[in-house]
Amino acid sequence: MKTMRLPVLVALLVFVTACVTINVYFPAAAAQEAADRIINRVYGTEGEGEKPAEPAAQPSQQPQSRTSSAVTLALVGTLNWLITPAEAAAPNIDIKSPAIQSITAGMEARHSSLAAYYANGAIGMTGDGLIVARDLNAIPLRDRSKVQQLIADENKDRAALYNEIALANGHPEWGKDIRATFARRWVANAPAGWWYQDAAGGWKQK
Amino acid sequence: MTIHYTSLCRATLFLIAQLVCASSYALESIEIALGDLQGDGWLARSVTLQIQLLPGTEHAGAITLESITLPKPIGRVDDVRIQCDQLTHSEAGTACTGRLKIAHLLGEPISGRVMVQHDSASNQVQLKLNDVGLAGGVWQIKGRSQAQGWNLDLAAQQVSGESLVGLLRRLGYVVEQQVSAQLNLTATLQGAADGVDAVRFQVLGEQLNYANSVGTQASENLNLELRGQVQRKAATWHAEVDAVFGAGALFIDPMYFEFAKASPAHLNVKGDWNAGTQQLHLQSMSLEHAGVARAQGELLMNLAQPNPLQRVTVEILDAQLPTAFDTYIQPWIRGQLGDALKTAGRFTGRYSYQAGADSAVHVALDKVDIDDPQQRFGFENLSGVIDWSSDATPRVSELGWQSGSLYRLALGPTQLAVKSQGTDFELREPVMVPLLDGKLMIDDLALSNPGEEDMRWRFDGVLTPVSMEAVCEALGWPAFGGQLSGMIPAVRYADKRLEIGGVLLVKAFDGALTVRNLRLEEPFGRVPRLNADLELDNLDLEALTKTFSFGKIQGRLGGYVKQLQMQAWQPVAFDARFATPEDDDSRHRISQKAVDNLSSIGGGVGGALSRSFLGVFEEFPYDRLGLSCRLKNGVCAMGGVAPVANGYYIVKGRFLPPRIDVVGYADQVDWHTLIDRLKSVTLEQGPVIK
């Protein structure tokens, strides 16, 4: 009987140790770099303290295609197909999907209407990566309704953006981490004088 | 010396009367230090009375107080002096006419002309204060008190709103708003010992700037005329208020109004407020907003109920667009489809709501134009009647338009009738909508829960042939011949997803393009997603290449784009293959220019062929041509019609000379680069393919 028990115990032990939670690694550094790229595009500060966005397309030295004349043997001239060979997918956060591009373009266009209100404290950045009207009295009466609409639109786009980045990278569950990354980077990339919410929910001026 | 009296006024008058009586003793002047006087809730310190006795009934005198402390909210008043230049006393009564001077009342020095009169027969006390400076303005105050009650007339010119608010704050009222204004006001108050019974008032406010602390209510340079009266009967207050907004701007979140002399707004409200039952009943509300809207209504609210709104009816007598939409509708649909509509025309309408019962809407549109700035839809000359109720009785709305557009495709004149029952809407009978030069027959169209998260709709129809030329023109594509038609038997929209059953058929280039399994997610959202399967059958390459100025290619082309996925109208994935059909026996020729272009698209040197001796040939025969691309993650996996060592044939030549082969070697190609190359070729030589 004792000899029977040992394998059972071993099996149990194996079973127990096999119950390991699978941790999906969230590429925090890559996410931050991706967030900075998008944020700088939205803020219109591309190229400021930012790494080159993408490696420039390198013309391939090798002919990729050619036209040949089989009968005459005379060379027509090699037609170089210079289409950039696709780069191997690097382990980073992909932000090139049309959905992300489209949302980012919309936010970039909107930013010029909002920038003045970030600067005068009418709009503040919240701790969850959105924006909020923190002082309506700092917005001219005529624009008060419109700016609130822009804020609502911006927040809709931001929520969609975080979601789309997670989706485009095949990890819908990253949405929360991406949002948290953006929440930090919106503030970090903002010019001095803009208002943001600290961890306790209080307002601070950068 | 401490004397208790119910009012300082009466004490003064009593003393004056006693002293004036003493004049028969031929005293010329008398000064009495009364010390402190105290009454119910008040305390006067160092009261001094001074009388100068003149011959006859007219005398002069003064009363001074070092301070008087009155009940809250007024508090301590310092250095009060009433100078009676004329002091009369007779059997009929006593009167004092002179000047009032107070060094410190609610933080302000006060001075003005004063007249106090006591009538013996009626025991009526009358007080007049003229030209009193208070809150930056000049006040005329007239008060009368008698056994039946009291009344008070106030008139003030050039009162500063800021000072008035300061005064109210010092009186203990919480006024969080920032206010600045020039006010002229008159008011008549009537009351008895237990308080105010009736108020009649008129306030003319100019340059009224006001803001609450959170900025949801504010005005800028507003000119406001407010007239009204308020009466109390037992616990019920009845009010009638008339307001004219003559100039300036007003923001009441989310609505913004701008008024001018030419477009004032006139608001009249009559109603009752019962403090006991907490019921507010506005029997009539009427609004005349020049150039915008005319409306009237009724409102019943009970603030004691958890859901205070009991009943409301609004009758829109006339609404002019775009002003009425921009002012009264747009702010409420912010962030929804149609919040930026450009509108024109007029409408009238009626809305009613009864708590626990039904609500109903009736709108009559009169030549209304609506236009979506994003060009997703638009209608011109929209007329008809929308009749809707939340009850179970079916209603019919009838609408018609002269012209319209859907995604830039022009719609012709249409009349339709819609049956509604609650939040379900359905087309009453089939409708024919002219679409470009064809017709869209709508057999069935139904909509549920519009505007809600769970909005659903379905559509069944047939598209009779529309010329592709018209479609291309509308969509800004290079023009090509052919026809678009289709059975669209089952379009379903649910969970923000549009699915099209059936087949869309484009007959073009002497062949056919069929679209199947078309599915559109969030069609009106920021990122519309499209899925579809396309099939190309037997297209004439000569017509195709001519249209896109690509260089002549003769022959036929077939193929497919399977599992096409688009985001924001950009392809993200598909499996595509275009090639000469297997059984094609048509004439196969490719021009020098087409070969050059095929090379150029790939980034090759354009015109290389023409510079060689093969340049003497205008065109070449070919056996087969074709390309395939499997797009995924921005990379196109390329292929051709047949494999060759390390590559694939894009054009495979005939055996007979002059033979030309185009061979591709790049099997992984960046999609954006491919598109840019394609664009630049067509940009140089013809229309741009977008």
Side-chain angles (χ1 to χ4, degrees):
Chain A
M1 285 302 284
K2 277 185 181 176
T3 49
M4 287 291 285
R5 275 183 188 166
L6 191 62
V8 173
L9 273 172
V10 169
L12 256 172
L13 196 66
V14 167
F15 178 74
V16 169
T17 52
C19 287
V20 176
T21 313
I22 298 160
N23 286 306
V24 176
Y25 166 67
F26 176 69
Q32 175 167 327
E33 196 191 314
D36 285 353
R37 220 180 293 160
I38 288 177
I39 289 167
N40 282 309
R41 196 180 146 194
V42 173
Y43 283 169
T45 51
E46 273 165 306
E48 288 175 23
E50 184 200 354
K51 282 192 263 175
E54 288 165 48
Q58 296 160 344
S60 169
Q61 298 303 311
Q62 200 160 355
Q64 301 291 315
S65 130
R66 69 168 189 268
T67 313
S68 67
S69 172
V71 172
T72 62
L73 298 173
L75 293 173
V76 163
T78 306
L79 298 172
N80 294 331
W81 284 59
L82 294 175
I83 292 174
T84 320
E87 314 232 341
N92 64 15
I93 294 273
D94 178 25
I95 51 168
K96 279 195 280 188
S97 88
I100 296 168
Q101 293 298 314
S102 163
I103 296 167
T104 309
M107 290 166 67
E108 191 184 354
R110 187 181 302 114
H111 185 76
S112 58
S113 311
L114 292 178
Y117 301 118
Y118 284 112
N120 76 359
I123 296 176
M125 296 171 272
T126 65
D128 57 355
L130 301 177
I131 57 172
V132 72
R134 53 175 294 280
D135 182 12
L136 280 182
N137 280 322
I139 305 168
L141 229 51
R142 165 193 291 278
D143 295 330
R144 220 168 269 187
S145 183
K146 197 186 82 195
V147 171
Q148 288 190 90
Q149 179 171 352
L150 290 174
I151 292 171
D153 291 349
E154 174 74 9
N155 283 338
K156 222 186 279 179
D157 275 0
R158 286 188 178 197
L161 176 71
Y162 308 149
N163 201 29
E164 287 294 344
I165 294 174
L167 280 180
N169 288 279
H171 287 281
E173 76 280 4
W174 282 357
K176 235 175 76 185
D177 294 311
I178 285 165
R179 177 187 281 258
T181 306
F182 267 86
R184 283 193 309 275
R185 300 313 294 170
W186 285 117
V187 177
N189 287 294
W194 292 19
W195 291 81
Y196 67 96
Q197 233 167 4
D198 62 16
W203 286 109
K204 278 190 177 163
Q205 194 172 16
K206 195 178 157 181
Chain B
M1 181 174 170
T2 305
I3 304 168
H4 287 264
Y5 270 105
T6 51
S7 80
L8 177 64
C9 185
R10 284 195 187 165
T12 313
L13 288 166
F14 172 80
L15 283 163
I16 290 168
Q18 295 307 307
L19 288 161
V20 170
C21 288
S23 65
S24 51
Y25 299 102
L27 284 168
E28 283 188 350
S29 171
I30 186 167
E31 184 173 315
I32 305 169
L34 294 170
D36 296 350
L37 302 179
Q38 195 173 7
D40 216 7
W42 61 267
L43 168 68
R45 290 202 183 276
S46 302
V47 181
T48 312
L49 202 58
Q50 222 181 0
I51 311 274
Q52 264 184 306
L53 298 171
L54 302 169
T57 53
E58 287 196 359
H59 311 282
I63 181 167
T64 55
L65 294 77
E66 192 187 284
S67 75
I68 175 165
T69 307
L70 294 168
K72 282 188 174 180
I74 294 179
R76 193 177 141 131
V77 182
D78 287 331
D79 202 358
V80 180
R81 181 182 171 85
I82 301 170
Q83 167 78 46
C84 298
D85 298 329
Q86 272 189 325
L87 187 63
T88 56
H89 178 71
S90 65
E91 289 294 310
T94 309
C96 162
T97 308
R99 294 197 65 77
L100 167 78
K101 209 169 172 186
I102 301 172
H104 198 267
L105 168 66
L106 295 167
E108 286 195 54
I110 307 283
S111 72
R113 290 187 291 119
V114 67
M115 201 280 278
V116 191
Q117 203 175 358
H118 177 247
D119 186 75
S120 307
S122 61
N123 198 26
Q124 177 183 286
V125 179
Q126 205 176 327
L127 172 77
K128 260 195 212 169
L129 291 169
N130 288 101
D131 304 331
V132 176
L134 185 65
V138 183
W139 295 67
Q140 321 295 334
I141 302 164
K142 200 165 102 184
R144 205 165 44 233
S145 167
Q146 53 197 350
Q148 303 94 302
W150 54 268
N151 60 41
L152 186 65
D153 293 339
L154 298 171
Q157 298 284 317
Q158 304 290 311
V159 175
S160 137
E162 261 165 316
S163 310
L164 195 64
V165 167
L167 196 68
L168 289 170
R169 286 197 184 119
R170 288 192 295 276
L171 279 168
Y173 294 100
V174 179
V175 186
E176 54 143 26
Q177 288 87 349
Q178 296 293 317
V179 180
S180 79
Q182 281 286 323
L183 301 171
N184 291 341
L185 53 95
T186 58
T188 304
L189 290 86
Q190 274 175 9
D194 60 342
V196 184
D197 290 332
V199 181
R200 186 176 306 161
F201 60 90
Q202 174 177 315
V203 182
L204 305 180
E206 277 183 15
Q207 301 286 306
L208 186 63
N209 287 284
Y210 140 93
N212 66 356
S213 60
V214 289
T216 50
Q217 289 173 26
S219 71
E220 262 174 27
N221 300 330
L222 189 70
N223 283 11
L224 172 66
E225 291 177 40
L226 211 56
R227 284 184 189 81
Q229 52 185 35
V230 182
Q231 275 158 359
R232 186 181 66 155
K233 274 186 193 133
T236 303
W237 289 88
H238 174 79
E240 190 174 336
V241 181
D242 206 53
V244 180
F245 301 83
L250 178 67
F251 178 71
I252 304 171
D253 192 38
M255 294 195 286
Y256 172 74
F257 307 91
E258 253 176 38
F259 308 105
K261 276 218 170 72
S263 58
H266 189 145
L267 182 69
N268 183 285
V269 178
K270 287 183 197 127
D272 291 330
W273 162 248
N274 188 310
T277 58
Q278 295 268 294
Q279 181 159 291
L280 176 71
H281 185 199
L282 303 181
Q283 289 103 349
S284 102
M285 301 179 285
S286 101
L287 173 74
E288 295 250 0
H289 194 164
V292 184
R294 283 191 300 124
Q296 59 190 36
E298 191 218 348
L299 176 81
L300 182 68
M301 285 179 95
N302 194 319
L303 302 187
Q305 302 276 343
N307 191 2
L309 189 60
Q310 302 291 301
R311 184 172 77 222
V312 64
T313 59
V314 177
E315 183 111 26
I316 300 161
L317 303 170
D318 180 30
Q320 294 175 40
L321 298 171
T323 48
F325 178 82
D326 295 347
T327 310
Y328 292 100
I329 300 172
Q330 195 268 345
W332 298 103
I333 57 167
R334 174 193 296 161
Q336 293 176 34
L337 178 70
D339 65 0
L341 285 184
K342 296 205 182 328
T343 57
R346 300 177 102 94
F347 68 89
T348 58
R350 188 184 151 79
Y351 169 76
S352 62
Y353 165 83
Q354 174 103 41
D358 302 307
S359 51
V361 178
H362 183 98
V363 179
L365 302 173
D366 181 17
K367 293 182 181 146
V368 169
D369 298 344
I370 59 176
D371 188 22
D372 174 39
Q374 292 183 48
Q375 296 193 314
R376 290 170 300 192
F377 58 90
F379 296 99
E380 271 170 39
N381 250 334
L382 194 62
S383 288
V385 169
I386 297 167
D387 193 11
W388 177 84
S389 165
S390 63
D391 66 18
T393 322
R395 313 267 172 140
V396 175
S397 301
E398 293 190 33
L399 277 177
W401 61 79
Q402 196 58 44
S403 62
S405 69
L406 203 58
Y407 282 101
R408 289 189 283 179
L409 302 175
L411 306 176
T414 306
Q415 281 291 335
L416 50 86
V418 176
K419 222 163 58 185
S420 71
Q421 194 168 4
T423 54
D424 293 323
F425 301 82
E426 202 174 354
L427 212 55
R428 193 178 58 182
E429 62 242 340
V431 168
M432 188 203 75
V433 183
L435 179 80
L436 296 172
D437 57 351
K439 288 180 182 80
L440 179 64
M441 298 288 305
I442 305 175
D443 294 323
D444 181 28
L445 178 63
L447 169 70
S448 297
N449 308 327
E452 302 288 325
E453 278 290 298
D454 58 345
M455 177 166 90
R456 279 179 291 124
W457 54 268
R458 64 166 201 272
F459 169 93
D460 288 292
V462 178
L463 184 64
T464 67
V466 173
S467 77
M468 278 314 289
E469 259 170 56
V471 174
C472 294
E473 199 194 326
L475 300 179
W477 293 347
F480 56 91
Q483 284 183 327
L484 169 70
S485 64
M487 289 284 295
I488 320 171
V491 183
R492 297 282 176 273
Y493 180 88
D495 302 327
K496 296 182 180 174
R497 175 189 286 205
L498 182 72
E499 284 184 43
I500 299 180
V503 179
L504 270 175
L505 178 67
V506 184
K507 284 197 170 159
F509 307 119
D510 195 31
L513 168 71
T514 48
V515 183
R516 288 168 211 273
N517 305 327
L518 191 61
R519 202 170 75 218
L520 200 52
E521 286 173 45
E522 303 202 28
F524 296 113
R526 159 68 72 206
V527 186
R529 286 180 152 78
L530 180 143
N531 289 58
D533 291 316
L534 276 65
E535 211 166 299
L536 269 65
D537 189 31
N538 208 31
L539 300 193
D540 178 12
L541 267 172
E542 190 172 351
L544 184 70
T545 50
K546 200 172 140 193
T547 300
F548 295 101
S549 308
F550 192 77
K552 188 169 148 189
I553 306 177
Q554 283 174 298
R556 292 271 161 183
L557 190 74
Y560 55 79
V561 182
K562 284 182 191 162
Q563 288 159 20
L564 170 66
Q565 290 177 34
M566 293 175 97
Q567 281 178 8
W569 314 117
Q570 299 286 321
V572 287
F574 59 73
D575 178 6
R577 184 187 146 84
F578 309 105
T580 308
E582 295 285 350
D583 54 356
D584 180 35
D585 53 3
S586 64
R587 181 182 157 87
H588 289 181
R589 287 283 187 279
I590 181 164
S591 73
Q592 206 186 92
K593 187 179 162 192
V595 172
D596 276 349
N597 278 338
L598 273 175
S599 314
S600 294
I601 288 171
V605 184
L609 188 60
S610 53
R611 284 195 298 274
S612 77
F613 79 94
L614 278 177
V616 299
F617 298 102
E618 271 301 307
E619 47 183 44
F620 306 89
Y622 69 88
D623 178 36
R624 301 192 64 204
L625 60 76
L627 263 177
S628 69
C629 162
R630 190 173 294 134
L631 177 69
K632 203 182 167 192
N633 296 331
V635 177
C636 186
M638 303 280 291
V641 278
V644 68
N646 300 323
Y648 47 86
Y649 283 109
I650 296 171
V651 180
K652 191 163 186 277
R654 279 253 169 90
F655 181 68
L656 291 173
R659 170 165 178 158
I660 188 159
D661 293 330
V662 178
V663 178
Y665 289 101
D667 54 355
Q668 300 283 311
V669 177
D670 184 87
W671 171 250
H672 292 285
T673 313
L674 187 65
I675 287 297
D676 289 344
R677 298 265 154 83
L678 191 63
K679 274 183 188 164
S680 70
V681 166
T682 48
L683 190 68
E684 282 165 22
Q685 301 166 11
V688 184
I689 303 165
K690 281 190 178 168

